[in-house]
């Protein structure tokens, strides 16, 4: 499993809340366990107490994305470093996958956590994954969706650093909204031009009389 995979942990947790919509799906231990995906052994460690702890880590991770999205690289790094210090991991070489040809192990880096609770384990992996993504690709690759009121977090993996939305759905919605706004502006301008032309014609006619 490549280290880049772990950065998705941070995105999944941050996006359990949509502040501008007043929505929060992180309301139960089942929701916490769902964030671990296929890592069921780690998910089983979660208890009701982790709901509150996960929300706290979520706020700190969102602050990293907000700082990055606002162009404050130093703040984003400082916030992420504080998480790394609080939730450390141990990198290890793992080979639980196998090659198809000769059956030998497929060696790769794995992040081994040593958590006191489920939140500590998840936070350690999420922070380390996000740190790897930040240092490998740049702080500006951490973004928040521009399709208001979404503001979901995303990791920009485009070749030209052009991503602005968290999903195709939000991109489509934003494009449709922009198109409609342009059409309304064009209609307003057309109406204004028509009124001025009509007013000018009436003034000319009155002058001729």
């Amino acid at each position: 499993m490549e280290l880049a995979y772990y950065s998705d942990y941070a995105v999944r947790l941050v996006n359990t809340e949509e502040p501008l919509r007043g929505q929060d799906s992180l309301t139960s231990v089942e929701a916490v366990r769902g964030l671990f995906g296929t890592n069921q052994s780690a998910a089983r460690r979660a208890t009701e107490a982790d709901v509150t702890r996960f929300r706290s880590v979520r706020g700190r991770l969102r602050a990293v994305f907000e700082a990055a999205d606002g162009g404050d690289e130093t703040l984003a790094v400082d916030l992420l470093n504080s998480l790394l210090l609080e939730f450390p991991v141990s990198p290890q070489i793992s080979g639980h996958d196998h090659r198809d040809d000769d059956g030998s192990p497929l060696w790769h880096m794995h992040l081994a956590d040593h958590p006191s609770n489920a939140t500590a384990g998840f936070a350690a992996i999420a922070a380390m994954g996000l740190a790897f993504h930040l240092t490998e690709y740049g702080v500006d690759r951490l973004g928040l969706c521009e399709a208001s009121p979404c503001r979901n977090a995303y990791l920009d993996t485009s070749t030209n650093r052009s991503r602005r939305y968290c999903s195709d759905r939000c991109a489509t919605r934003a494009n449709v909204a922009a198109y409609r706004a342009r059409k309304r502006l064009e209609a307003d301008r057309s109406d204004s031009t028509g009124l001025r032309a009509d007013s000018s014609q009436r003034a000319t006619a009155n002058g001729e009389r």
Side-chain angles (χ1 to χ4, degrees):
M1 186 179 296
E2 296 181 359
L3 294 180
Y5 166 84
Y6 293 112
S7 58
D8 188 55
Y9 275 54
V11 173
R12 291 208 304 268
L13 177 54
V14 170
N15 291 347
T16 60
E17 181 184 31
E18 296 184 65
L20 296 182
R21 288 192 173 114
Q23 297 179 358
D24 187 348
S25 63
L26 192 58
T27 58
S28 66
V29 66
E30 288 76 18
V32 168
R33 289 171 179 162
L35 290 169
F36 285 91
T38 58
N39 191 353
Q40 291 303 301
S41 60
R44 283 192 291 270
R45 293 198 297 262
T47 66
E48 290 292 342
D50 285 298
V51 176
T52 300
R53 289 193 287 252
F54 260 68
R55 286 178 172 176
S56 176
V57 172
R58 178 181 65 188
R60 294 170 67 182
L61 287 170
R62 174 170 282 278
V64 174
F65 279 92
E66 288 175 344
D69 188 65
D72 194 337
E73 296 189 12
T74 301
L75 178 58
V77 170
D78 287 346
L79 292 170
L80 192 49
N81 272 336
S82 69
L83 284 164
L84 292 170
L85 288 171
E86 186 174 344
F87 303 106
V89 294
S90 302
Q92 295 180 355
I93 299 174
S94 177
H96 54 75
D97 295 325
H98 297 276
R99 296 187 180 93
D100 293 334
D101 50 359
D102 59 4
S104 59
L106 181 60
W107 302 113
H108 58 272
M109 291 300 298
H110 177 79
L111 297 182
D113 57 85
H114 308 285
S116 56
N117 53 63
T119 303
F122 191 97
I125 291 174
M128 188 64 190
L130 196 58
F132 174 82
H133 194 94
L134 184 152
T135 54
E136 184 72 10
Y137 302 107
V139 177
D140 59 338
R141 293 289 187 148
L142 279 59
L144 293 173
C145 186
E146 292 186 13
S148 180
C150 178
R151 302 300 284 168
N152 272 350
Y154 65 83
L155 299 171
D156 186 0
T157 56
S158 64
T159 55
N160 58 354
R161 301 173 182 264
S162 61
R163 186 170 178 179
R164 298 165 56 200
Y165 307 104
C166 69
S167 64
D168 290 340
R169 178 182 179 183
C170 275
T172 299
R173 183 162 54 85
N175 289 334
V176 169
Y179 173 79
R180 289 174 176 170
R182 287 196 301 271
K183 286 299 183 181
R184 285 195 297 269
L185 181 60
E186 291 172 2
D188 290 343
R189 287 174 176 171
S190 178
D191 290 343
S192 178
T193 300
L195 288 173
R196 287 197 301 269
D198 186 53
S199 177
S200 177
Q201 289 173 357
R202 287 198 300 270
T204 300
N206 289 334
E208 290 176 349
R209 288 199 297 269

